[in-house]
Amino acid sequence: MEITKNINQIRSLAQIFSTANFKKIVRDKDYFDTFYRVDRYTKVKEGTTNLQVLNQIYKSLLCNYKNEYVYKNILINKLLLKKYSLKSTIALNEFKIANSIADFVLLNGEARIYEIKTELDGLEKLDKQLSDYEKFADKIYIVTSSKHIPNLLMKYYNSNIGIIELTQRNALKTVKEAKNNTFTFKHDTLFKTLRKDEYISLIRSYFKYVPDVPNTQIFRECLKMSKKIDILEFQKLVVQKLKYRNISNPEVFKERQIPESLKHICYSLDFSEAEYQQLEYFLSQKSKICISHMSEVSNLS
């Protein structure tokens, strides 16, 4: 199999590895966009399966175009699945904290944020993002390429911020350890990460009652009550509530023979048993046959 060396075309192939695209593949059985990009930017030999095609494209991304998906997928494979247990640790993807969106959050006994800055990213928004995250997380790491390491070390050397390098060999190398942020937690920021049912449950559990007010006032009153809880204790209670957002079938995810290239997609989409079967069917099909069929459909239309 041959893959384009053109960076713009590789960028187009990278769009295959998105949750939106795999929703189409698994839930809608819509393969058109995937096969269009494969047909246009690769040369696939007869008998090659879709899994083999995707794995080769992913290898190309690892070598030539480490985008945000590559970073997140490596974090899933090398942190969540190798260092921690799916029973005690969950990952949250694109998690809103104050006015920022955290790329990757791990929750177990504490909250750790991994903010991704690829070599393709600028650092202009980073200060604001880190300021928001410090109000929520025990520890914060910037995960980045060697390109940004000197600037980041200089800027955050005397801070609590940790720095992890994604090396040329796709290993996660801790350049600077993160320190605890317990003195920067904020009730408002922590509270607003919770959904309505979560903060009501937290307040009821802690105070043994929920304020008897109109529905339009319940948020304000519960927030007011939350500020009576010691901030360190409240942060732990919030993390405990958020951990219930775990994927519905962690054992199924663990037991399935999910390709390493697709671990983050499968975790994020939290597939059911039937959906995993559909994914496995798609991956086992011969890609050349699928591409030919797609071309026939295109010609008819």
Side-chain angles (χ1 to χ4, degrees):
M1 176 178 168
E2 295 179 23
I3 298 176
T4 178
K5 301 297 184 183
N6 181 287
I7 193 63
N8 289 325
Q9 294 175 356
I10 292 174
R11 187 179 293 116
S12 179
L13 285 172
Q15 293 178 39
I16 292 172
F17 291 90
S18 71
T19 53
N21 188 50
F22 270 81
K23 281 181 184 178
K24 291 180 184 178
I25 290 172
V26 173
R27 293 172 180 165
D28 303 328
K29 300 179 178 65
D30 177 0
Y31 315 142
F32 186 87
D33 189 58
T34 300
F35 291 142
Y36 174 79
R37 295 176 195 275
V38 170
D39 195 35
R40 192 169 184 186
Y41 301 128
T42 74
K43 291 182 180 179
V44 180
K45 294 180 181 178
E46 192 75 42
T48 306
T49 66
N50 290 326
L51 173 58
Q52 290 171 322
V53 170
L54 292 175
N55 281 341
Q56 283 300 114
I57 294 173
Y58 184 71
K59 285 181 182 178
S60 178
L61 297 184
L62 287 173
C63 295
N64 305 304
Y65 186 74
K66 290 187 175 74
N67 64 348
E68 189 173 287
Y69 177 76
V70 168
Y71 275 71
K72 288 181 176 179
N73 198 52
I74 288 173
L75 285 169
I76 282 282
N77 279 293
K78 298 192 175 182
L79 271 185
L80 179 62
L81 299 180
K82 286 192 176 178
K83 190 172 180 180
Y84 301 104
S85 165
L86 285 175
K87 292 182 179 179
S88 59
T89 305
I90 75 159
L92 298 176
N93 182 47
E94 300 295 309
F95 183 62
K96 191 174 190 306
I97 301 171
N99 295 313
S100 300
I101 306 293
D103 289 320
F104 190 86
V105 182
L106 282 185
L107 304 175
N108 45 30
E110 60 182 12
R112 285 183 297 282
I113 290 177
Y114 298 84
E115 182 61 24
I116 295 167
K117 294 298 177 186
T118 76
E119 63 179 15
L120 311 168
D121 295 328
L123 304 177
E124 299 80 17
K125 298 179 180 178
L126 189 55
D127 279 346
K128 179 62 174 68
Q129 291 172 311
L130 298 179
S131 176
D132 285 339
Y133 302 156
E134 285 175 333
K135 299 168 187 174
F136 168 86
D138 294 273
K139 294 179 180 177
I140 302 165
Y141 286 93
I142 304 166
V143 188
T144 190
S145 74
S146 59
K147 171 185 173 181
H148 293 308
I149 294 294
N151 286 340
L152 292 174
L153 273 176
M154 186 180 300
K155 189 167 187 179
Y156 299 110
Y157 184 78
N158 291 318
S159 75
N160 287 349
I161 303 301
I163 300 172
I164 296 174
E165 178 187 353
L166 179 60
T167 69
Q168 288 295 318
R169 295 187 176 184
N170 302 306
L172 295 172
K173 175 185 175 184
T174 301
V175 177
K176 179 180 180 292
E177 287 287 357
K179 298 177 184 177
N180 281 315
N181 293 307
T182 51
F183 59 91
T184 56
F185 294 158
K186 298 294 181 185
H187 281 93
D188 290 68
T189 300
L190 288 159
F191 186 87
K192 290 175 183 177
T193 63
L194 299 174
R195 298 165 181 159
K196 183 178 180 180
D197 62 317
E198 291 170 336
Y199 67 70
I200 286 177
S201 173
L202 188 156
I203 293 298
R204 180 182 287 115
S205 177
Y206 190 87
F207 292 99
K208 309 307 179 188
Y209 75 96
V210 175
D212 184 15
V213 295
N215 202 44
T216 54
Q217 298 176 30
I218 192 69
F219 175 87
R220 183 181 64 189
E221 292 303 314
C222 285
L223 173 57
K224 190 185 299 183
M225 291 176 69
S226 76
K227 292 181 179 180
K228 297 177 182 178
I229 305 173
D230 174 78
I231 189 63
L232 298 184
E233 183 177 6
F234 183 60
Q235 192 261 3
K236 296 301 180 190
L237 293 173
V238 168
V239 170
Q240 287 174 17
K241 282 297 171 191
L242 290 171
K243 283 183 66 179
Y244 285 107
R245 296 188 192 179
N246 197 8
I247 56 176
S248 55
N249 295 299
E251 290 305 315
V252 173
F253 176 82
K254 187 176 180 180
E255 291 168 5
R256 285 281 175 180
Q257 296 299 307
I258 301 168
E260 186 170 311
S261 59
L262 300 178
K263 288 285 177 69
H264 184 265
I265 284 171
C266 292
Y267 189 91
S268 297
L269 291 176
D270 193 15
F271 288 139
S272 66
E273 181 71 30
E275 287 170 336
Y276 272 118
Q277 291 175 11
Q278 171 58 28
L279 174 64
E280 289 167 355
Y281 171 78
F282 166 76
L283 295 176
S284 68
Q285 294 301 293
K286 300 294 188 291
S287 190
K288 198 72 173 179
I289 295 172
C290 295
I291 292 171
S292 300
H293 176 67
M294 184 200 75
S295 299
E296 290 171 9
V297 171
S298 297
N299 292 333
L300 287 172
S301 58

